[in-house]
Amino acid sequence: MSLTLRIISPERIVFVGEVESVTVPGTMGEFQVLPNHAPLISSLDPGKVVYDTNEGRMEIGISGGFAEVQNNNVSLCVEL
């Protein structure tokens, strides 16, 4: 089982694809999303979004944003 990750900024679509996990800098602390994670909405602080794909581990720096997790879909609206 995998997650569908969408990372979107006001300027462009940064990433859309299947991932094994994603770690984000939540306002209340860093957290990791794995398949079948409970639904949630969180604001994001500046930091790194780290996600694991079939090609390996990827990282992107953000300056803030929001995350929504629901039904193995993770949507990140971020400022780069």
Side-chain angles (χ1 to χ4, degrees), residues 1 6 8-9 16 18-19 21 38 41 51 55 58 64 72:
M1 169 115 1
R6 291 174 189 82
I8 300 168
S9 77
V16 176
E18 298 296 312
V19 300
S21 68
I41 295 175
Y51 51 100
E55 289 79 42
M58 309 291 195
N72 290 320

Side-chain angles (χ1 to χ4, degrees), residues 4-19:
T4 300
L5 174 63
R6 291 174 189 82
I7 304 174
I8 300 168
S9 77
E11 297 82 26
R12 63 189 171 99
I13 297 172
V14 179
F15 176 84
V16 176
E18 298 296 312
V19 300

Side-chain angles (χ1 to χ4, degrees), residues 29-72:
E30 181 179 270
F31 64 92
Q32 183 178 45
V33 178
L34 297 169
N36 298 318
H37 195 285
L40 71 82
I41 295 175
S42 176
S43 54
L44 302 176
D45 277 349
K48 289 183 181 178
V49 174
V50 180
Y51 51 100
D52 294 315
T53 68
N54 289 336
E55 289 79 42
R57 179 163 284 186
M58 309 291 195
E59 293 185 4
I60 184 166
I62 64 167
S63 60
F66 293 92
E68 178 185 24
V69 179
Q70 186 170 343
N71 297 327
N72 290 320

